[in-house]
Every structure is written in C-alpha cells, then in structure tokens.
C-alpha cells in the first residue's frame, strides 16, 4: 500500500545500512525520499541501488551551517530519519578522546543539528526517528562513546517529543545488526563467523539485518499515535 504517497522523507545517513534500506521501503510506499551523507561515492552507489528513484545530497551533518543550508531547500518535511554514525569506540583507559568526540559528532550532533533545522518544516502527523543502540540498554564493556550517546539520545527523544509536539519524536535502539557499519571493525570473513556465533546467543537465534530495523522506522512514520517511544530491535540481545 502506498501509505507514504506524496510524503517528503529525509534520511541523514541514508547512503548505506539501515538508512538505505529505510529509503528503499519508503520509496516503495510512495514517498519522495532524499538521502544525505558525507561521501558522494556512497550516495551515487545508493542511488544506483535504488534505480535512480532517490534524491541525493552531500552533507556533513555534524556541521550546523551545512545542515541549515540543506533544510532551507525544503518547504516541508514529513518524516526525518537520522541514522548517521561512524567513528571510534573503545575502552576508557586506552581511549583516544579526540577520536571519541568524533563519534559524538557523527551520531549525537548530526541528530541534534538535523532536528533543529528540520523541525520548523514539520507538524501534525509528521515524525522524527532517532537512533540509540543496544549499549544504552545493556552494559557492554569498551563502549564509552556509544553508551553515552545512546543514553543521551533516548532521554532527548522523550524531551523533544514534548518540545516539538505535535511533531512526533521516537527512538530506535538496534542490537547488533549486520550492516556495512561492521566493515570498520572486522573483515568480511570474520564478520560471518562473528554473526553466526552471535546468533546462537540471542533468543531469536538469527542474525539481525537492516530490513529488521527498517520495519520499526516505517512503523514510527505511519503511527500517528506514537511519540516519545523507544523501540528495541535487538532479537532479545538485551535480555542475555
Ligand atoms: N549496525 C549495528 O549493529 C548497530 C547497533 C546499534 C546501533 N546502531 C545504530 O543504528 C544507526 C544506523 O546504523 P548502520 O549500521 O546503518 O550504520 P552505517 O551502515 O555505518 O551507516 C551510517 C551512515 O551514516 C553516514 N554518516 C556518518 N557520519 C556522517 C555525518 N557526519 N554526516 C552525515 N552522514 C554521516 C554514513 O555515510 P558517509 O560515510 O557517506 O557519511 C552512512 O550513510 C546508527 O545510529 C548506529 O549507531 C547500529
């Protein structure tokens, strides 16, 4: 069903992973979708993957002036999704604090810059979907930046749901999801082995993929009566 016909959907971090699969699904539901990220090459690959049905925009979302210029181009935004992430995590004793700040930039600050400049174009029935992660639910050692960011995003999501009402604001907390994000941590072969082993440890006994999370994002877009919510899409990872 074309439930998003004529809706304007903007996805920052949409050139790969969960953002890209969300773009695909929103387009299939009739939306006009724009994806933004830093790498033009990734954006062009994403456009090819989507058979040219998406608008692309090169943008560093951690830079407020770039985000403002980007949203100035839109008369109206119906659904904003900010799935950007990328950077360095690690154990606190060895952590390179400047690199850790880079992760706050690429995840937390991109989300806040986008919310600030998209929200004036949004209103009743529109939605903002933000991203935390499993480490805001479950302590996993060596995850200082992600844990801090996840907690911040979940708290901010609730506050922003009131501050920006009637625009709805919700948060998705993914567990380990096998996306391109993992290329930064281990080679392809190692990833297969890691995720096969990981699947054995979670209640659902399967590997999470981008489409599993996309279902949650689309749920938030289409559910007019849901705001201030956090949806865990983790195969039960937080329970074990
Ligand atoms: N995959 C998992 O296991 C997992 C687990 C927990 C939480 N999450 C969260 O879920 C969300 C989506 O994850 P994912 O796996 O889809 O990530 P991903 O595959 O790494 O994609 C991240 C996207 O963000 C873009 N990006 C990074 N920095 C940016 C910036 N400064 N400005 C604009 N775009 C930027 C990247 O493109 P460019 O490089 O072109 O900028 C890319 O399109 C993230 O918030 C992530 O932390 C994922």
């Amino acid at each position: 069903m074309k439930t998003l016909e004529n809706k304007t959907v903007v996805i920052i971090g949409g050139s790969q992973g969960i953002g890209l699969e969300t773009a695909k699904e929103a387009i299939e539901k009739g939306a006009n979708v724009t994806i933004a990220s830093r790498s033009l090459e990734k954006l062009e690959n994403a456009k090819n993957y989507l058979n040219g049905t998406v608008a692309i925009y090169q943008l560093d979302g951690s830079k407020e002036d770039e985000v403002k210029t980007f949203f100035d181009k839109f008369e109206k935004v119906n659904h904003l999704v900010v799935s950007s992430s990328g950077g360095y995590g690690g154990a606190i004793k060895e952590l390179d604090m400047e690199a850790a700040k880079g992760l706050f930039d690429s995840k937390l600050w991109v989300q806040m810059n986008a919310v600030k400049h998209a929200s004036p174009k949004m209103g009743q029935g529109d939605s903002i979907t933000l991203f935390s992660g499993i480490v805001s639910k479950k302590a996993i050692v060596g995850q200082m930046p992600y844990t801090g960011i996840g907690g911040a995003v979940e708290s901010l999501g609730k506050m922003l749901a009131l501050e920006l009402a009637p625009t709805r604001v919700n948060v998705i907390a993914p567990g380990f999801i096998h996306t391109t994000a993992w290329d930064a941590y281990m080679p392809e072969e190692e990833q297969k082995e890691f995720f096969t082993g990981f699947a054995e440890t979670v209640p659902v006994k399967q590997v999470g993929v981008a489409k599993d999370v996309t279902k949650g994002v689309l749920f938030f877009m289409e559910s007019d009566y849901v705001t201030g919510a956090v949806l865990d899409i983790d195969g039960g990872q937080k329970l074990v």
Side-chain angles (χ1 to χ4, degrees):
M1 254 184 22
K2 300 272 183 194
T3 49
L4 296 176
E5 191 95 68
N6 298 323
K7 298 292 183 190
T8 298
V9 172
V10 176
I11 306 171
I12 299 188
S15 63
Q16 65 183 40
I18 293 162
L20 179 56
E21 283 309 312
T22 301
K24 185 167 186 276
E25 192 113 351
I27 290 163
E28 281 164 10
K29 285 176 176 268
N32 301 315
V33 179
T34 300
I35 56 172
S37 83
R38 294 163 305 177
S39 156
L40 192 55
E41 190 187 347
K42 283 188 197 172
L43 287 164
E44 279 168 352
N45 288 341
K47 190 168 184 171
N48 284 339
Y49 173 71
L50 298 171
N51 300 316
T53 55
V54 72
I56 59 173
Y57 191 93
Q58 191 178 17
L59 164 83
D60 183 344
S62 68
K63 298 190 172 138
E64 190 187 347
D65 55 337
E66 289 189 28
V67 175
K68 182 184 180 307
T69 304
F70 172 60
F71 282 108
D72 280 348
K73 298 179 193 314
F74 292 87
E75 204 172 304
K76 173 83 189 148
V77 175
N78 296 109
H79 301 290
L80 170 70
V81 179
V82 195
S83 57
S84 84
S85 183
Y88 181 85
I92 190 91
K93 285 186 204 164
E94 290 98 44
L95 202 58
D96 173 341
M97 292 310 226
E98 281 309 308
K101 279 185 199 166
L103 183 45
F104 277 79
D105 284 343
S106 75
K107 191 164 155 93
L108 180 63
W109 283 109
V110 176
Q111 299 194 64
M112 292 308 113
N113 286 334
V115 168
K116 176 175 174 182
H117 292 287
S119 56
K121 315 275 169 112
M122 306 179 77
Q124 185 83 43
D126 299 336
S127 77
I128 295 172
T129 302
L130 305 176
F131 280 83
S132 61
I134 181 70
V135 288
S136 59
K137 309 284 173 184
K138 177 184 171 76
I140 300 178
V141 294
Q143 293 287 338
M144 186 288 261
Y146 279 112
T147 305
I149 295 163
V153 171
E154 290 184 14
S155 300
L156 286 163
K158 293 190 190 82
M159 187 276 286
L160 291 167
L162 279 183
E163 190 171 312
L164 302 177
T167 299
R168 299 175 295 105
V169 183
N170 296 294
V171 176
I172 295 201
F176 290 179
I177 305 294
H178 197 181
T179 66
T180 29
W182 287 80
D183 293 350
Y185 295 97
M186 56 183 95
E188 185 72 33
E189 270 316 299
E190 241 175 80
Q191 287 179 39
K192 280 189 195 140
E193 209 177 302
F194 172 80
F195 273 99
T196 306
F198 171 73
E200 288 304 310
T201 70
V202 287
V204 296
K205 302 288 178 221
Q206 67 185 56
V207 178
V209 293
K211 279 188 178 133
D212 294 313
V213 183
T214 293
K215 286 177 191 157
V217 183
L218 270 289
F219 167 78
F220 281 146
M221 286 187 200
E222 293 172 339
S223 302
D224 283 353
Y225 209 59
V226 179
T227 193
V230 179
L231 180 59
D232 305 340
I233 304 182
D234 63 2
Q237 185 182 357
K238 68 180 168 301
L239 305 174
V240 293

